[in-house]
Amino acid sequence: MIILDYKDTRPIYEQVVDKLQKLIINGVLEPDSRMPSVRSLAMELCINPNTIQKAYTELERTGFLYTIKGRGNFVTYNEDLYLLKKKEYRDKMEKLLTEAEEIGISRESMLEELKKGEQGND
């Protein structure tokens, strides 16, 4: 389900948030399905339960999970979450293109490289 990359510079909880968001958006974790308990997921990933709790709190804050007191955490999904992630990726791409322009690489050149990469993956 979740594979952590200990070479990644991001904190572990952010990696967990990112992986769970992708699983929710892709429909692997179905709407209204119960999430593993904090303790069981922490044991499965061999990390501190506080790290999972922090990830679950962030996912709830951003609308990917909801909590029912005494019952656990459950998956929320609606199209707005998908659109929000799409906008986030678009913003990251725009930032990258702007940074490339700042060092003299044209947008067209960057986009052409991206297209070449897509063709190479076929």
Side-chain angles (χ1 to χ4, degrees):
M1 178 148 87
I2 297 175
I3 298 172
L4 300 173
D5 179 4
Y6 293 100
K7 293 179 183 175
D8 192 330
T9 59
R10 295 177 301 159
I12 298 294
Y13 90 93
E14 285 183 11
Q15 291 183 50
V16 172
V17 167
D18 186 52
K19 304 280 185 183
L20 289 173
Q21 284 178 341
K22 288 176 183 171
L23 291 171
I24 291 168
I25 287 172
N26 290 327
V28 175
L29 295 174
E30 296 181 3
D32 299 318
S33 63
R34 189 169 187 271
M35 293 294 293
S37 71
V38 168
R39 192 167 293 208
S40 68
L41 187 55
M43 285 176 47
E44 181 181 322
L45 298 176
C46 299
I47 59 177
N48 189 307
N50 292 335
T51 302
I52 298 299
Q53 184 58 55
K54 189 171 183 178
Y56 277 10
T57 299
E58 179 63 17
L59 287 165
E60 185 173 6
R61 187 187 69 75
T62 55
F64 284 86
L65 295 181
Y66 64 94
T67 303
I68 298 177
K69 197 165 186 109
R71 301 261 339 255
N73 297 290
F74 296 83
V75 175
T76 301
Y77 181 78
N78 61 46
E79 194 65 24
D80 293 340
L81 296 176
Y82 171 76
L83 295 174
L84 181 69
K85 273 313 246 190
K86 186 175 177 181
K87 181 185 180 322
E88 183 182 314
Y89 290 133
R90 188 180 307 120
D91 291 346
K92 285 180 183 179
M93 195 167 43
E94 181 62 36
K95 182 180 179 203
L96 181 62
L97 291 170
T98 301
E99 288 175 3
E101 284 181 322
E102 289 172 357
I103 63 167
I105 303 171
S106 72
R107 283 178 179 253
E108 293 76 22
S109 173
M110 289 291 290
L111 294 172
E112 191 60 39
E113 286 295 319
L114 183 60
K115 287 178 184 176
K116 284 182 190 174
E118 284 179 354
Q119 293 168 356
N121 290 333
D122 288 344

